[in-house]
Amino acid sequence: MSTRAPAHSRMPALWTLVRPTRSDLSSTALPIIAFAVISTVALGAVALARAYWNAPDPEGFGQYRILAAGMLAVLVVPVGTLGGAAARLSARRREDRLATLRLMGASSSWVRRVALIEAGLIAAGGALVGLLLSMPLTPLLSLVEVAGTPLGSEGARLPTPLAAALLLGVVVVAVVSAGASLRLVLISPLGVRMRQNAPRMHWLRVVIAVLVVGGAVIVLQLTSVSWGAVGITAALVVVLVAVMAVLNLLGPYVASRLARRRLMRSGDAATLIAMRGALESPQAAWRLVSGVALASFVAVPAGSLLGFLDTVQRLSDAVSPRQTLFFGDIRLVVVAAVAVSYLLVACSVGVTQAAAVLERRALYVSLDRLGMPFSVMTRSRRLSVSTPLLVAAVVPTLIAALLVIPVVGISVVTAPLFIVTVAGCIAAGVVLVQLGVVATTPVLRRVLSQPDRGL
């Protein structure tokens, strides 16, 4: 006997799924804001990269094209991380309703289709908001000088087909990420409520990370002028993207090992709950701080490059006016990449913290019913990010230093600006995560105050 819901009965269920409630406001607004930020950043970054790509290159080396490719490569993974986090939050807030629809007889394909449409609509709304936000920023971007020449209104504005393709890409990222987040609901109607998703961290993650980082070091050491602009650009993009991606393999493993050790030494309820939660899903714990990991990775080459350029200009009398302009363009790209990375980190922290509250909603409700004070739950949330945050601040910094060790060595000795930049960036990332915990406290209060203690 088929349990599929009749077609005429699906419309009320569809309305139950998509109609907004007061408790949905924050979890709906955060993904829209995140996608708006992604869209604004994408439009501005691609416009700037396009200007560098088309900048005059009298020496024929393609140095401006390498700059353009490097800037985009640095931003690819943070943008994808934020997009995935926003889509997961959008899916999580509907998780229980989706499971309920499955229990009522709705087919998995129908539930997937409706949920993906909703995720796409939220992302499209954010993309449109991002497009509107980018319009007043265009005049400011037009003042930026590339190779000594201001971009102007034409250079700061993307062609309509390219802008449309970027915004469509934002929607695609949201739909793909939401689809991945729905896999438990679609495997079984009871999949979500049973929480059958306890992953195990295998030591092969470390092996893969070592191989990727080792290969990246070798590639960078072998890179030379004889490769040409195309070869150097390709090597740079592959190395940056591969290493930033492998951080998401290594980070959860190291964080889980540290959490296990801290759990064995825990002596209070807040620490016990925090470490058990981190071990229950190391991947979810890592997502809370993954933005800081990426920003820490970017901070080292950025700081070392700024320090190196400062040293060259201070100690060398043979720097030509053209080289001075190029050094200024490098500084602009580095500062822009770091600033945008931390803007994405700020958004990612808020989104992932809100998603974490919804993911562990049942735990917080149970603790509240057992009489645990709200202050202890809040302290537990802060402790839950402390261990992965330590890993996110230290491990990517060491890996990045290994990749650019010659420049780092010079900068440490000759340019104090390097140390200040790296330390400031890491400290900023730590503060952003703690602010994210504080900013999402109202989400936890709302979860605990709802009469049915659910969505």
Side-chain angles (χ1 to χ4, degrees), residues 84-144:
R88 279 191 298 271
L89 175 57
S90 179
R92 285 295 183 187
R93 70 190 182 88
R94 300 298 191 189
E95 193 176 69
D96 283 355
R97 296 184 188 182
L98 293 174
T100 300
L101 289 177
R102 289 286 284 122
L103 289 169
M104 291 172 60
S107 67
S108 60
S109 61
W110 183 78
V111 171
R112 177 187 289 274
R113 187 162 54 249
V114 171
L116 294 185
I117 289 174
E118 184 194 20
L121 290 175
I122 290 176
L128 290 177
V129 173
L131 178 62
L132 295 176
L133 292 176
S134 68
M135 290 179 180
L137 296 179
T138 301
L140 297 177
L141 190 60
S142 66
L143 301 177
V144 174

Side-chain angles (χ1 to χ4, degrees), residues 295-320:
S296 299
F297 178 79
V298 171
V300 173
S304 61
L305 189 55
L306 290 175
F308 178 75
L309 293 177
D310 181 68
T311 301
V312 170
Q313 288 193 301
R314 281 191 295 105
L315 302 180
S316 177
D317 298 327
V319 178
S320 66

Side-chain angles (χ1 to χ4, degrees), residues 113-279:
R113 187 162 54 249
V114 171
L116 294 185
I117 289 174
E118 184 194 20
L121 290 175
I122 290 176
L128 290 177
V129 173
L131 178 62
L132 295 176
L133 292 176
S134 68
M135 290 179 180
L137 296 179
T138 301
L140 297 177
L141 190 60
S142 66
L143 301 177
V144 174
E145 293 188 359
V146 174
T149 304
L151 287 180
S153 58
E154 290 298 323
R157 187 181 301 110
L158 288 177
T160 301
L162 180 56
L166 286 174
L167 297 180
L168 180 61
V170 170
V171 178
V172 171
V173 168
V175 172
V176 172
S177 299
S181 298
L182 292 171
R183 64 187 182 276
L184 288 178
V185 181
L186 302 179
I187 291 173
S188 165
L190 296 176
V192 174
R193 297 194 179 277
M194 296 300 292
R195 291 292 191 265
Q196 299 169 345
N197 62 337
R200 297 186 58 134
M201 296 289 106
H202 201 281
W203 56 267
L204 281 177
R205 289 170 174 261
V206 178
V207 175
I208 295 173
V210 170
L211 291 177
V212 171
V213 173
V217 172
I218 293 174
V219 169
L220 290 180
Q221 293 296 325
L222 294 178
T223 302
S224 66
V225 178
S226 62
W227 288 24
V230 175
I232 294 176
T233 300
L236 181 63
V237 171
V238 170
V239 165
L240 288 176
V241 174
V243 175
M244 285 193 292
V246 85
L247 289 176
N248 289 327
L249 283 178
L250 180 62
Y253 177 83
V254 177
S256 67
R257 300 290 293 183
L258 291 180
R260 189 177 300 278
R261 179 174 298 182
R262 191 171 180 183
L263 175 64
M264 296 175 64
R265 301 175 180 176
S266 63
D268 59 277
T271 304
L272 177 64
I273 294 170
M275 296 303 104
R276 288 295 298 269
L279 290 174

Side-chain angles (χ1 to χ4, degrees), residues 390-401:
L390 176 64
V391 176
V394 174
V395 173
T397 301
L398 295 178
I399 292 176

Side-chain angles (χ1 to χ4, degrees), residues 330-369:
I330 293 177
R331 285 193 183 91
L332 175 62
V333 169
V334 170
V335 172
V338 171
V340 169
S341 294
Y342 275 87
L343 173 63
L344 296 175
V345 167
C347 294
S348 179
V349 165
V351 170
T352 52
Q353 289 287 348
V357 173
L358 297 181
E359 286 177 349
R360 307 187 69 189
R361 177 178 58 245
L363 171 63
Y364 291 126
V365 170
S366 298
L367 293 175
D368 183 58
R369 287 174 173 167

